[in-house]
Amino acid sequence: MKQYIYGKNTILEALKGKKSVYAVYIQNNAKDSRIIELCKKKKVHVKIVDKSEFIKKLGNVSHQGVMAEIEEYRYYSIDEMLNDIPKEKKPLLLMLDGLEDPHNLGAILRTCDAVGVDGVIVGKNRSVGLNGTVAKVSTGAIDHVKVAQVTNLARTLEDLKKRSFWIVGCDLDQSQDYRQIDYNMPLVIVIGSEGFGISRLVKKSCDFNVVLPMVGHVTSLNASVAAAVILYQVYNSRNPL
C-alpha cells in the first residue's frame, strides 16, 4: 500500500533511505533544490502542482510546500527488533500504552533516535499508528526507529520478562523518583496515554514504577516530554560523565 508524507526534512530522509518513493509533489511557489537534486539522483518523478493538490491529498496541514507518495511504513516484529540489537549493548525498548496523539508519537520517535532506543512498541487498538503527521513531527526519525504493533501489550511485556527484560512504568502508584533507578539492565520503559495513563493489566506487569517530581501547579507532563526526561535519565545512567 501507499501513503503520503509531507515536510522538507521528512521527505529528504525518505529519499536518502531505502524506502520506495514513488513521486514527489512540490508546490509551484516553493521549489526546493535539495529535494529536486535527490529526486533526479534516485530517478523519482517530481510533479509541480498548485495548493489545491495538497489540500485534496493531505487536508489542512503545515506541509512546507512538499509531499511525497511512498510505500507504507512497515511495522517490525518483536523478534526482528531484538535480533538487531548489538550483543554488546544493553537493550532499551519503549512501550506506549494507548497513545493517540500523532504529534506526541512523532516527538517520541525523535527522542528515541537521539538516545539510541532499540525499538518502540505500540498497541493495534486505540493507539496512533505510523502516518504522515508522525513522520513530519519526527523530522525523519521514523525511518530510523523500529516500531512494533502488537495486539496485547501486557502479554508482550510478560514475554519480554522471560527474555530477562525489566519493566519500568511511568506511573504514580507505589512509585519512586525516576532518578533512583539503576537503568543498567535490559529495559522496557512504559509511558501511558495522554488522558488515562498506564492501563491496569500493563501496570501489573511493571517491576518498578517511577514518577517525575513536580513542584508547580499542573499535575502531569505531556507524554512526549515525560518520555524524553526518562529516556535521557537512562542514557545518563548508562553513559556517565
Side-chain angles (χ1 to χ4, degrees):
M1 293 181 65
K2 300 177 182 178
Q3 67 183 111
Y4 288 96
I5 59 173
Y6 55 92
K8 292 180 180 180
N9 287 332
T10 309
I11 290 168
L12 282 169
E13 285 299 317
L15 288 167
K16 291 174 185 175
K18 298 178 180 179
K19 182 174 291 297
S20 295
V21 180
Y22 303 112
V24 170
Y25 299 77
I26 298 178
Q27 194 169 317
N28 47 19
N29 61 350
K31 294 181 181 178
D32 189 296
S33 59
R34 296 173 302 165
I35 290 174
I36 291 173
E37 285 302 314
L38 265 176
C39 287
K40 286 180 181 177
K41 187 180 293 186
K42 301 199 74 172
K43 298 180 179 177
V44 174
H45 184 51
V46 176
K47 300 180 181 180
I48 307 299
V49 297
D50 61 24
K51 185 177 180 180
S52 64
E53 190 72 17
F54 284 81
I55 294 172
K56 183 169 71 175
K57 286 183 166 61
L58 301 174
N60 188 24
V61 299
S62 178
H63 48 69
Q64 297 180 304
V66 60
M67 64 180 171
E69 187 180 16
I70 65 166
E71 65 174 310
E72 191 173 37
Y73 285 107
R74 66 164 290 207
Y75 294 95
Y76 293 79
S77 69
I78 299 296
D79 284 338
E80 285 177 313
M81 201 175 274
L82 298 181
N83 289 339
D84 282 346
I85 301 174
K87 286 185 170 56
E88 69 278 5
K89 185 179 186 296
K90 293 185 184 70
L92 174 59
L93 303 177
L94 179 70
M95 176 176 282
L96 304 174
D97 182 6
L99 199 76
E100 297 179 335
D101 186 341
H103 294 87
N104 274 340
L105 179 54
I108 287 169
L109 291 179
R110 192 171 179 177
T111 300
C112 288
D113 180 60
V115 301
V117 171
D118 298 299
V120 175
I121 303 168
V122 299
K124 275 189 177 178
N125 303 313
R126 297 183 297 278
S127 295
V128 64
L130 300 178
N131 58 34
T133 301
V134 174
K136 169 71 161 52
V137 177
S138 79
T139 63
I142 193 172
D143 294 306
H144 303 288
V145 179
K146 294 180 177 63
V147 178
Q149 193 178 56
V150 301
T151 54
N152 191 311
L153 295 176
R155 188 178 301 138
T156 299
L157 287 180
E158 290 303 316
D159 290 342
L160 287 168
K161 289 172 84 165
K162 293 174 184 175
R163 302 190 192 203
S164 302
F165 279 82
W166 292 80
I167 317 301
V168 179
C170 187
D171 190 80
L172 289 172
D173 189 36
Q174 296 181 322
S175 60
Q176 55 189 306
D177 191 300
Y178 77 105
R179 294 167 294 182
Q180 293 178 287
I181 299 286
D182 181 2
Y183 296 101
N184 288 284
M185 51 192 171
L187 278 181
V188 183
I189 304 295
V190 182
I191 301 292
S193 69
E194 296 91 347
F196 302 101
I198 299 174
S199 58
R200 180 179 59 85
L201 290 177
V202 170
K203 195 182 299 185
K204 285 177 66 176
S205 296
C206 293
D207 299 299
F208 308 99
N209 286 333
V210 296
V211 64
L212 278 62
M214 303 180 67
V215 297
H217 300 288
V218 297
T219 58
S220 65
L221 289 172
N222 175 280
S224 65
V225 174
V229 172
I230 293 174
L231 289 173
Y232 264 98
Q233 182 64 18
V234 176
Y235 182 86
N236 180 59
S237 179
R238 294 180 174 187
N239 301 275
L241 291 176

